[in-house]
Amino acid sequence: MVSTKTSLGGFEFGNCLMNAAGVWCMTKDELAAVKSSAAGTFVTKTATLEYRSGNPEPRYQNVPLGSINSMGLPNQGLAYYLDYLLELQEAEPERTFILSVVGMSPDETHTILKSVEASDFKGLTELNLSCPNVPGKPQIAYDFDTTESLLREVFTYFTKPLGIKLPPYFDIVHFDQAAAIFNQFPLTFVNCVNSIGNGLYIEDETVVIKPKNGFGGIGGEYIKPTALANVHAFYQRLNPAIQIIGTGGVLTGRDAFEHILCGASMVQLGTTLQKEGLVAFEQITDELKVIMEEKGYETIEDFRGKLHYIDEK
Ligand code: DHB
C-alpha cells in the first residue's frame, strides 16, 4: 500500500500536499474547505496584526503558464485566523494546521509572534519573509542582515515550532549565505519558494494587473526549475533538523515527486489550486501514488532527497 503521508516538526499529516499561503485561505469557509479536501493540512493567508484590504483590483491574473499577482497582503487580521485555529484545535486535536504571519514592520512582527507565543496555539507558525507586493516594503529575506537580526530577536521569546517562507534565490553564494544564517536558529522548516517577485506580464500593449503598474509575483509552470533548485540547495545546506516545504510549479504528480526528490517533506499548491480548485489535491495525489507504485516506493521517505547526479567517469 502506497502512502503519501508525511511529518513536519514531529506532527503527522495524512497527505504531503496542501495549499500555499495566499490561495484558498482568506476566510474560515475557504480554510474549512481545504481541511475537508484531500489536502494533508492548510496554511492561512499571511496575517498582519490588523485587517488589510490590500491593493486595488485587478490584482491577480491567471496566464497560460502560471499567474501574476500583487495582492498587497489583504487579510482578516491575526485574531481572525488565530481564533479559528484555536477552535479547530479543540474540535480536532489530532490534526495540525499552519498559521502564516508577518508584520508591516519588525515591531509588528514581534507583537504578532509574542501574541501567538502567549496563546494556546499548538500548531506550526510560518513567518513570511518574502511578500513582494507591498509598495515600499522590500522582500525581507533578500536583506540578510535584517533577516538575521529579526530571527535572532524572535528566538529570544518564541518557543513554538516556527518555519519561514522564503523568496527564490538565484545565486549559489546567496544559497550559502542564507543557509549559514538559518542554520544558527532552531527553525522547524523553510518553505521554498514564494513567487518570483516583480515579473511583468503584458497582453496586447497593456499590463494585466493594476498595482505597481503591472509588476507582480510570478507563480505556476514558469517557476518550477527555480523552486526545485531552492528546495534542493537548502536540502544540501541546512541542518537535517530543518525540514523543507516545496512550493512552486506543481501541476502534476510528477512535479510533486520532483519536489520530494529534491528534499521536500511537504508540497504546496498555489497557482494550480487557484486554477483547478480543490480537486487538484486528489488528482495530484493520485498521480503521485501511481509514480510511487511504478517505482516501488511505499512512502515518500523512500525517495525524499535522493536526487541522482551524473557521476564523472
Ligand atoms: C502577498 C503576496 C505574497 O507572495 C506573499 O508572500 C504575501 C502576501 C500579497 O500580495 O498579498
Side-chain angles (χ1 to χ4, degrees):
M1 258 303 282
V2 167
S3 166
T4 58
K5 72 178 184 225
T6 191
S7 70
L8 201 61
F11 299 106
E12 306 215 330
F13 303 90
N15 191 2
C16 63
L17 294 177
M18 62 177 294
N19 69 303
V23 183
W24 275 88
C25 60
M26 189 75 85
T27 64
K28 293 178 198 183
D29 283 353
E30 290 181 346
L31 291 165
V34 176
K35 184 171 75 68
S36 305
S37 76
T41 182
F42 67 65
V43 59
T44 67
K45 173 65 184 173
T46 298
T48 51
L49 191 55
E50 306 293 345
Y51 167 89
R52 286 173 57 85
S53 58
N55 292 338
E57 295 180 342
R59 57 192 185 180
Y60 178 98
Q61 182 65 49
N62 285 323
V63 301
L65 296 181
S67 64
I68 183 166
N69 88 85
S70 183
M71 303 298 288
L73 269 172
N75 76 95
Q76 312 286 340
L78 175 67
Y80 178 94
Y81 302 104
L82 190 52
D83 288 351
Y84 180 55
L85 288 166
L86 292 171
E87 251 174 61
L88 285 184
Q89 197 168 277
E90 292 287 308
E92 301 182 53
E94 69 289 351
R95 292 193 70 181
T96 303
F97 302 98
I98 307 182
L99 171 67
S100 172
V101 299
V102 74
M104 299 304 293
S105 65
D107 274 358
E108 187 181 315
T109 294
H110 296 309
T111 303
I112 290 168
L113 288 175
K114 282 176 183 173
S115 138
V116 175
E117 176 72 14
S119 77
D120 286 331
F121 180 57
K122 295 185 175 71
L124 295 158
T125 302
E126 175 171 286
L127 175 60
N128 186 349
L129 299 180
S130 47
C131 174
N133 296 337
V134 180
K137 303 270 182 197
Q139 289 165 83
I140 297 168
Y142 282 150
D143 178 337
F144 290 141
D145 291 341
T146 300
T147 296
E148 183 170 357
S149 57
L150 187 71
L151 291 175
R152 189 156 322 279
E153 176 74 17
V154 165
F155 282 109
T156 62
Y157 60 83
F158 201 81
T159 64
K160 296 180 177 183
L162 184 73
I164 50 179
K165 178 77 170 275
L166 298 175
Y169 298 102
F170 301 93
D171 194 289
I172 300 297
V173 168
H174 292 163
F175 291 136
D176 292 340
Q177 291 171 342
I181 293 168
F182 304 147
N183 277 332
Q184 297 172 47
F185 302 104
L187 288 162
T188 299
F189 65 86
V190 302
N191 185 342
C192 305
V193 295
N194 208 314
S195 53
I196 295 183
N198 296 297
L200 194 52
Y201 191 90
I202 299 168
E203 264 171 8
D204 188 16
E205 300 186 11
T206 310
V207 301
V208 297
I209 57 172
K210 180 171 178 181
K212 294 168 65 179
N213 289 339
F215 287 75
I218 304 294
E221 249 182 288
Y222 288 116
I223 80 167
K224 187 177 75 168
T226 294
L228 294 176
N230 277 261
V231 168
H232 197 58
F234 285 107
Y235 181 75
Q236 291 170 312
R237 287 167 177 76
L238 292 180
N239 302 331
I242 307 179
Q243 291 179 272
I244 299 170
I245 299 178
T247 306
V250 179
L251 286 77
T252 65
R254 173 68 203 186
D255 300 324
F257 180 83
E258 291 175 7
H259 268 274
I260 297 164
L261 200 61
C262 286
S265 294
M266 184 76 92
V267 177
Q268 296 186 336
L269 307 184
T271 299
T272 297
L273 177 57
Q274 213 291 326
K275 287 185 172 181
E276 310 283 331
L278 299 169
V279 68
F281 289 122
E282 252 175 86
Q283 282 170 352
I284 296 173
T285 304
D286 289 347
E287 291 167 6
L288 175 58
K289 283 182 172 169
V290 168
I291 294 168
M292 289 172 65
E293 262 160 30
E294 283 168 3
K295 291 178 172 284
Y297 297 137
E298 287 181 359
T299 75
I300 71 168
E301 291 311 305
D302 293 342
F303 63 99
R304 189 174 60 79
K306 295 181 182 161
L307 178 64
H308 296 193
Y309 307 133
I310 299 171
D311 291 331
E312 283 186 42
K313 287 263 157 57

